Amino acid sequence: MQQRSPAQGNQEFPPDDAALFDRYGPLLFAYILKHVRSREDAEDLTLEVFTAALQKKTLHQFRPEEQLAWLKKVTHNKLVDRYRKAQRRNDVNLDIFVEVLSDDDDPEQVVLRREIDHQLHQLIQRLPALQQQLLYLRYAHNLSAAEIGVLLNKNEGTIRQQLSRARKLLRASYLAQEQKGGY
Amino acid sequence: MFRPEDLLQDEIEYPEQTRQLQQNYPLSQADQQSLLRIRTRLGGQPAASLPPSAPREEMQTLPLRIPFHEALERPLVGQFLPSPMIQPPG
């Protein structure tokens, strides 16, 4: 999830703003991409969201989950605004499981990891949708339970419980597969 | 990755599962490039020269009725309140 920072050293892009984008940019971009017609539209809309964030000088004083709640509201409002203007919607499929391999990987490790990822991917897909969503938010975007709670309108304790349950279910599924000789 | 206080007990007990899960969601190259472009555009202009986000977000009062993780649907007719009319002075 860590992005290279092309703007590092750019005095126009304060570190706090860059950190905010690096923290929540991938998540919001993925969300927006699901709801607009094209990648270009998603880039434009994400830029608008973070432009608004940069203009809100007090945002950095918020706790992380409050920052995310604010960004969520802005994102939602901008999407709704766009729907109202466009009066049409074309879905863009988002494959969050697209594999990216670095060039310097050992080929054997690549094959092994690809196999492991495939198994894990399949097991995750068998989980209930909510648990898949929790795992995605937690491990793709490294969100805290409180931040996930903001997104899913649940309290932190509930999120922690459900995440633990999802992990246990995943382990149980993995063990069951192993015992059946599936993996 | 996570702050110690954010860790679940289960994550502490099974760190290998956590590592595998984190590796399970790589960012696609297309997404990485998109984020890089957004970041460059965001950082490349002084805040004052950025186009104003109109209308101001603070002025929006639409409730978040749609959960973040669910697909947004096209708004139904009449779902949104009409824009407030500007009353003529007098």
CSV table of all heavy atoms in Angstrom, one decimal, chain A residues 159-178:
chain,number,residue,atom,x,y,z
A,159,ILE,N,-16.5,-4.3,15.3
A,159,ILE,CA,-15.6,-4.6,14.2
A,159,ILE,C,-14.5,-5.5,14.7
A,159,ILE,O,-14.1,-6.5,14.0
A,159,ILE,CB,-14.9,-3.3,13.7
A,159,ILE,CG1,-16.0,-2.4,13.1
A,159,ILE,CG2,-13.8,-3.5,12.7
A,159,ILE,CD1,-16.7,-2.9,11.9
A,160,ARG,N,-13.9,-5.3,15.9
A,160,ARG,CA,-12.9,-6.1,16.4
A,160,ARG,C,-13.3,-7.6,16.6
A,160,ARG,O,-12.7,-8.5,16.2
A,160,ARG,CB,-12.3,-5.6,17.7
A,160,ARG,CG,-11.6,-4.3,17.6
A,160,ARG,CD,-11.1,-3.8,19.0
A,160,ARG,NE,-10.0,-4.5,19.4
A,160,ARG,CZ,-8.7,-4.1,19.2
A,160,ARG,NH1,-8.5,-3.0,18.5
A,160,ARG,NH2,-7.7,-4.8,19.6
A,161,GLN,N,-14.5,-7.7,17.1
A,161,GLN,CA,-15.1,-9.1,17.2
A,161,GLN,C,-15.3,-9.8,15.9
A,161,GLN,O,-14.9,-10.9,15.7
A,161,GLN,CB,-16.5,-9.0,17.9
A,161,GLN,CG,-16.4,-8.8,19.4
A,161,GLN,CD,-17.8,-8.8,20.1
A,161,GLN,OE1,-18.8,-8.7,19.4
A,161,GLN,NE2,-17.8,-8.9,21.4
A,162,GLN,N,-15.8,-9.0,14.9
A,162,GLN,CA,-16.1,-9.6,13.6
A,162,GLN,C,-14.8,-9.9,12.9
A,162,GLN,O,-14.8,-10.9,12.1
A,162,GLN,CB,-17.0,-8.7,12.8
A,162,GLN,CG,-18.4,-8.6,13.4
A,162,GLN,CD,-19.3,-7.7,12.6
A,162,GLN,OE1,-18.9,-6.7,12.0
A,162,GLN,NE2,-20.6,-7.9,12.7
A,163,LEU,N,-13.8,-9.1,13.0
A,163,LEU,CA,-12.6,-9.4,12.4
A,163,LEU,C,-11.9,-10.6,12.9
A,163,LEU,O,-11.4,-11.5,12.2
A,163,LEU,CB,-11.6,-8.2,12.6
A,163,LEU,CG,-11.5,-7.1,11.5
A,163,LEU,CD1,-10.7,-5.9,11.9
A,163,LEU,CD2,-10.9,-7.7,10.2
A,164,SER,N,-12.0,-10.7,14.3
A,164,SER,CA,-11.4,-11.9,14.9
A,164,SER,C,-12.1,-13.2,14.4
A,164,SER,O,-11.5,-14.2,14.1
A,164,SER,CB,-11.5,-11.8,16.4
A,164,SER,OG,-10.7,-10.8,16.9
A,165,ARG,N,-13.5,-13.0,14.3
A,165,ARG,CA,-14.3,-14.2,13.9
A,165,ARG,C,-13.9,-14.6,12.4
A,165,ARG,O,-13.8,-15.8,12.1
A,165,ARG,CB,-15.8,-13.8,14.0
A,165,ARG,CG,-16.7,-15.0,14.0
A,165,ARG,CD,-18.1,-14.5,14.2
A,165,ARG,NE,-18.3,-13.8,15.5
A,165,ARG,CZ,-19.1,-12.8,15.7
A,165,ARG,NH1,-19.9,-12.4,14.7
A,165,ARG,NH2,-19.2,-12.2,16.9
A,166,ALA,N,-13.7,-13.6,11.6
A,166,ALA,CA,-13.4,-13.8,10.2
A,166,ALA,C,-12.0,-14.5,10.1
A,166,ALA,O,-11.9,-15.5,9.3
A,166,ALA,CB,-13.4,-12.5,9.4
A,167,ARG,N,-11.1,-14.1,10.9
A,167,ARG,CA,-9.8,-14.7,10.9
A,167,ARG,C,-9.8,-16.2,11.3
A,167,ARG,O,-9.2,-17.1,10.8
A,167,ARG,CB,-8.8,-13.9,11.8
A,167,ARG,CG,-8.4,-12.6,11.2
A,167,ARG,CD,-7.6,-11.8,12.2
A,167,ARG,NE,-6.4,-12.5,12.7
A,167,ARG,CZ,-5.2,-12.4,12.2
A,167,ARG,NH1,-5.0,-11.6,11.2
A,167,ARG,NH2,-4.2,-13.1,12.7
A,168,LYS,N,-10.6,-16.4,12.4
A,168,LYS,CA,-10.8,-17.8,12.9
A,168,LYS,C,-11.4,-18.7,11.9
A,168,LYS,O,-11.1,-19.8,11.7
A,168,LYS,CB,-11.5,-17.8,14.2
A,168,LYS,CG,-10.7,-17.3,15.4
A,168,LYS,CD,-11.5,-17.1,16.6
A,168,LYS,CE,-10.6,-16.5,17.7
A,168,LYS,NZ,-11.4,-15.9,18.8
A,169,LEU,N,-12.5,-18.1,11.2
A,169,LEU,CA,-13.2,-18.9,10.2
A,169,LEU,C,-12.2,-19.2,9.0
A,169,LEU,O,-12.3,-20.3,8.5
A,169,LEU,CB,-14.4,-18.1,9.7
A,169,LEU,CG,-15.4,-18.8,8.9
A,169,LEU,CD1,-15.9,-20.1,9.5
A,169,LEU,CD2,-16.6,-17.9,8.6
A,170,LEU,N,-11.4,-18.3,8.7
A,170,LEU,CA,-10.5,-18.5,7.6
A,170,LEU,C,-9.5,-19.6,8.0
A,170,LEU,O,-9.2,-20.5,7.2
A,170,LEU,CB,-9.7,-17.2,7.4
A,170,LEU,CG,-9.1,-16.9,6.0
A,170,LEU,CD1,-10.0,-17.2,4.8
A,170,LEU,CD2,-8.5,-15.5,5.9
A,171,ARG,N,-9.0,-19.6,9.2
A,171,ARG,CA,-8.0,-20.6,9.6
A,171,ARG,C,-8.7,-22.0,9.6
A,171,ARG,O,-8.1,-23.0,9.2
A,171,ARG,CB,-7.5,-20.3,11.0
A,171,ARG,CG,-6.4,-19.3,11.1
A,171,ARG,CD,-5.6,-19.4,12.4
A,171,ARG,NE,-6.4,-19.2,13.6
A,171,ARG,CZ,-6.8,-18.0,14.1
A,171,ARG,NH1,-6.4,-16.9,13.4
A,171,ARG,NH2,-7.5,-18.0,15.2
A,172,ALA,N,-10.0,-22.0,10.1
A,172,ALA,CA,-10.7,-23.3,10.2
A,172,ALA,C,-10.9,-23.8,8.8
A,172,ALA,O,-10.8,-25.0,8.5
A,172,ALA,CB,-12.0,-23.1,10.9
A,173,SER,N,-11.2,-22.9,7.8
A,173,SER,CA,-11.4,-23.3,6.4
A,173,SER,C,-10.1,-23.9,5.9
A,173,SER,O,-10.1,-24.9,5.1
A,173,SER,CB,-11.9,-22.2,5.6
A,173,SER,OG,-13.0,-21.6,6.1
A,174,TYR,N,-9.0,-23.2,6.2
A,174,TYR,CA,-7.7,-23.7,5.7
A,174,TYR,C,-7.4,-25.0,6.2
A,174,TYR,O,-6.9,-25.9,5.5
A,174,TYR,CB,-6.7,-22.6,6.1
A,174,TYR,CG,-5.3,-22.9,5.4
A,174,TYR,CD1,-5.1,-22.4,4.2
A,174,TYR,CD2,-4.3,-23.6,6.1
A,174,TYR,CE1,-3.8,-22.7,3.5
A,174,TYR,CE2,-3.1,-23.8,5.5
A,174,TYR,CZ,-2.9,-23.3,4.2
A,174,TYR,OH,-1.7,-23.6,3.6
A,175,LEU,N,-7.6,-25.2,7.5
A,175,LEU,CA,-7.3,-26.5,8.1
A,175,LEU,C,-8.2,-27.6,7.5
A,175,LEU,O,-7.7,-28.7,7.3
A,175,LEU,CB,-7.5,-26.5,9.7
A,175,LEU,CG,-6.4,-25.7,10.4
A,175,LEU,CD1,-6.8,-25.6,11.9
A,175,LEU,CD2,-5.1,-26.4,10.3
A,176,ALA,N,-9.4,-27.3,7.3
A,176,ALA,CA,-10.4,-28.3,6.8
A,176,ALA,C,-9.9,-28.7,5.4
A,176,ALA,O,-10.0,-29.9,5.0
A,176,ALA,CB,-11.8,-27.7,6.7
A,177,GLN,N,-9.4,-27.7,4.6
A,177,GLN,CA,-8.9,-28.0,3.3
A,177,GLN,C,-7.7,-28.9,3.3
A,177,GLN,O,-7.5,-29.9,2.6
A,177,GLN,CB,-8.6,-26.7,2.5
A,177,GLN,CG,-9.7,-25.9,2.1
A,177,GLN,CD,-10.4,-26.6,0.9
A,177,GLN,OE1,-9.9,-27.5,0.3
A,177,GLN,NE2,-11.6,-26.1,0.6
A,178,GLU,N,-6.8,-28.6,4.3
A,178,GLU,CA,-5.6,-29.4,4.4
A,178,GLU,C,-6.0,-30.9,4.8
A,178,GLU,O,-5.4,-31.8,4.3
A,178,GLU,CB,-4.7,-28.8,5.5
A,178,GLU,CG,-3.8,-27.7,5.0
A,178,GLU,CD,-2.7,-27.4,6.0
A,178,GLU,OE1,-3.0,-27.6,7.2
A,178,GLU,OE2,-1.6,-27.1,5.6
